[in-house]
């Protein structure tokens, strides 16, 4: 594993993260949420957000985001309403059911952080977070 590419290592670590969050959501009764839905929950705003803006923030194709929003709408996690600032636009809002997802996912993420810090150290986790943040800033 020492000679693995950075991309592979990031993907494998991300899979561990995703599985932990999925397990927590499943345990809390949100077993119908899939990883692509995370982009909606992560970037949804209380004042609503257009699918095109979700697409930009999540850096996914519009088709991918539209499909995630449609699935979440069918499942009752989001609703779309007319955009008062754009006659043709519609805004995506989390429903009451959808608002219950974020705190569970965030708590699961904190538990993952803590468990990873126990496997390495808090300093290493802080350094990793700082390095990734700096890299993202430079890439944008």
């Amino acid at each position: 594993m020492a000679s693995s590419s950075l991309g592979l290592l990031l993907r494998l670590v991300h899979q561990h993260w995703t599985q932990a969050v999925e397990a927590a959501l499943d345990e809390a009764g949100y077993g119908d949420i899939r990883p692509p839905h995370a982009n909606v929950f992560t970037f949804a705003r209380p004042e609503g957000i257009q699918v095109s803006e979700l697409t930009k923030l999540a850096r996914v194709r519009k088709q991918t985001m539209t499909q995630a929003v449609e699935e979440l709408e069918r499942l009752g996690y989001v609703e779309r309403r007319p955009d008062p600032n754009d006659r043709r636009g519609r805004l995506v809002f989390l429903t009451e059911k959808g608002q219950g997802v974020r705190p569970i996912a965030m708590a699961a993420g904190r538990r993952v952080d803590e468990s990873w810090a126990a496997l390495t150290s808090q300093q290493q986790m802080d350094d990793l977070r700082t390095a990734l943040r700096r890299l993202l800033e430079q890439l944008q």
Side-chain angles (χ1 to χ4, degrees):
M1 204 48 134
S3 65
S4 296
S5 75
L6 181 58
L8 175 61
L9 293 172
L10 288 170
R11 183 175 62 81
L12 293 173
V13 167
H14 180 262
Q15 285 176 336
H16 280 275
W17 179 280
T18 301
Q19 289 168 352
V21 172
E22 282 180 343
L25 289 170
D26 188 41
E27 187 176 311
Y30 297 106
D32 50 359
I33 294 178
R34 299 180 312 102
H37 299 152
N39 288 322
V40 177
F41 291 107
T42 300
F43 298 110
R45 300 177 185 144
E47 67 275 12
I49 188 167
Q50 287 193 357
V51 170
S52 59
E53 184 67 13
L54 284 170
T55 300
K56 290 176 193 170
L57 293 170
R59 296 177 181 235
V60 297
R61 293 186 342 229
K62 187 172 183 181
Q63 178 182 356
T64 301
M65 184 58 72
T66 299
Q67 183 178 358
V69 168
E70 288 172 353
E71 288 173 1
L72 289 171
E73 191 172 34
R74 277 194 304 276
L75 295 168
Y77 291 102
V78 302
E79 62 183 3
R80 288 185 276 189
R81 300 182 213 149
D83 184 341
N85 300 316
D86 180 353
R87 289 184 311 177
R88 294 182 295 166
R90 294 174 53 108
L91 297 175
V92 176
F93 292 86
L94 294 178
T95 61
E96 187 174 329
K97 179 181 179 181
Q99 291 173 15
V101 172
R102 195 176 275 159
I104 293 165
M106 290 176 70
R110 283 190 298 275
R111 286 192 302 275
V112 171
D113 279 356
E114 292 166 3
S115 69
W116 289 0
L119 294 172
T120 59
S121 72
Q122 187 60 52
Q123 184 61 52
Q124 285 182 319
M125 294 305 298
D126 291 344
D127 291 345
L128 176 61
R129 186 176 287 107
T130 298
L132 290 172
R133 218 180 263 130
R134 285 183 184 153
L135 178 59
L136 281 172
E137 287 170 5
Q138 294 299 315
L139 292 171
Q140 294 179 5

